[in-house]
Amino acid sequence: MLTRRDTMAMGLGVAAVAMVPGAAIASAVDDAIAAFTGGASVTDGGVTIDAPEIAENGNTVPIAVDAPGATEILLLAAGNPTPGVAKFGFGEGAASSRAATRIRLGGTQDVVAIAKMADGSYARGAVEVKVTIGGCGG
Amino acid sequence: MSDVRPRIRLPRSANAGDVIEVKTLISHNMETGLRRDGSGNAIPRQIINRFTCEYAGKLVVDVTMEPAISANPYMEFDVQVDESADFVFTWYDDDGSVYSETQSFEVS
C-alpha cells in the first residue's frame, strides 16, 4: 500500500533526478570560468553584452561584448551542450576592448562574459537571450 | 573546405589617429560535430578555431573560437590607425588549413 510518506519520498526522488542536468550545466560553466580565471574572484559589472532580447533564429545570434580596460574576454553560453563560445584577446593594436560576432544558441539561456582586466582582476556580465528556434542542429 | 573565402570591410578613408571599425567574414560551414547525417552517423567537427588580426605588425585581436560560433564566422572590432600600413587577417581551420588575407590601408 502506498502511504502519504512514500508518495512524498517518490516526489523528492523525481525532483532530484530532474535537477541533475541543470546542475551539471551550471558546473560546466563554473569549470570554464575557473579555468579562465585560475580560481580568482570575479566581480559583477564592468562588462556589457549587447544581444537581442529575443532571437528568432538560434543559428546566428548577433552578440557584442565590451569591457573597457580588458585584455581578454571569455564568452560562454550557459545552456548550450558545451558552454564555450569564444575567447577574445586584445593586443596593443586594438583601440577598444570591444568585439562583435554571431553565435549559436541551442535555446533560451544566459550568455555570460568574463573579462580579464589589465590589472589582473576579473569582471562578469550576463544577459538572458530568448531563442525561438534553437541552433544546435537538433 | 574548398569554398572558403574571406571578406574584409574597412572604411574607405580615415585620418591618422582615427579609430576605425573593422568587419571580417569568412565563408565556412563551422560543422559543430554534434549533427548527424541521414544514416545517423555523427558528422565530424570541422570549424575555424582561431582568428587573428594584425595592423602595422602589432596584434589587434586573437580570437579562440568554439563550435558555438555561427557558420560564416563574423568578427568586428576597433583599430586605431596612426599610419598607413597593412592589415593581416588569418584564420586557422581544424583540418590544418590556414587562410590569410592582407589589405593595405591608407590614412590621410
Side-chain angles (χ1 to χ4, degrees):
Chain A
M1 184 172 158
L2 211 59
T3 64
R4 183 170 174 275
R5 187 166 296 177
D6 288 340
T7 315
M8 291 285 285
M10 281 162 61
L12 281 175
V14 170
V17 168
M19 276 159 60
V20 166
I25 288 166
S27 79
V29 173
D30 290 344
D31 288 352
I33 294 172
F36 179 63
T37 62
S41 64
V42 179
T43 53
D44 271 322
V47 185
T48 311
I49 305 175
D50 194 2
E53 203 173 313
I54 299 174
E56 284 190 4
N57 180 1
N59 275 311
T60 172
V61 182
I63 298 275
V65 288
D66 188 6
T71 55
E72 279 185 32
I73 299 177
L74 179 72
L75 188 63
L76 303 170
N80 273 0
T82 54
V85 176
K87 188 170 76 181
F88 303 94
F90 299 98
E92 55 176 335
S96 70
S97 297
R98 183 190 78 89
T101 185
R102 295 174 189 148
I103 72 171
R104 290 171 170 144
L105 294 175
T108 297
Q109 58 182 282
D110 284 339
V111 174
V112 179
I114 309 291
K116 181 185 186 181
M117 297 303 176
D119 64 3
S121 66
Y122 292 90
R124 178 182 187 278
V127 64
E128 193 197 30
V129 180
K130 291 188 170 66
V131 177
T132 318
I133 303 167
C136 286
Chain B
M1 297 287 299
S2 52
D3 52 348
V4 175
R5 194 166 63 88
R7 277 184 279 170
I8 314 292
R9 178 165 292 180
L10 300 171
R12 210 159 286 171
S13 65
N15 295 319
D18 280 0
V19 172
I20 64 165
E21 201 169 75
V22 179
K23 296 175 179 182
T24 74
L25 188 141
I26 188 164
S27 51
H28 194 286
N29 284 342
M30 297 292 275
E31 190 58 58
T32 60
L34 299 173
R35 297 199 311 152
R36 293 179 180 278
D37 64 18
S39 40
N41 304 313
I43 304 171
R45 168 184 141 154
Q46 193 192 346
I47 67 166
I48 289 176
N49 55 52
R50 184 174 173 223
F51 164 73
T52 63
C53 170
E54 285 179 19
Y55 183 69
K58 286 190 277 192
L59 180 72
V60 177
V61 289
D62 184 343
V63 185
T64 308
M65 303 200 268
E66 305 286 345
I69 295 290
S70 300
N72 306 327
Y74 169 81
M75 288 289 157
E76 178 191 315
F77 44 89
D78 302 319
V79 184
Q80 183 171 334
V81 286
D82 290 326
E83 54 184 320
S84 295
D86 283 350
F87 276 100
V88 181
F89 305 92
T90 316
W91 291 262
Y92 299 83
D93 195 304
D94 270 351
D95 71 2
S97 311
V98 176
Y99 317 108
S100 195
E101 178 86 358
T102 302
Q103 282 203 6
S104 51
F105 189 75
E106 295 267 328
V107 296
S108 49

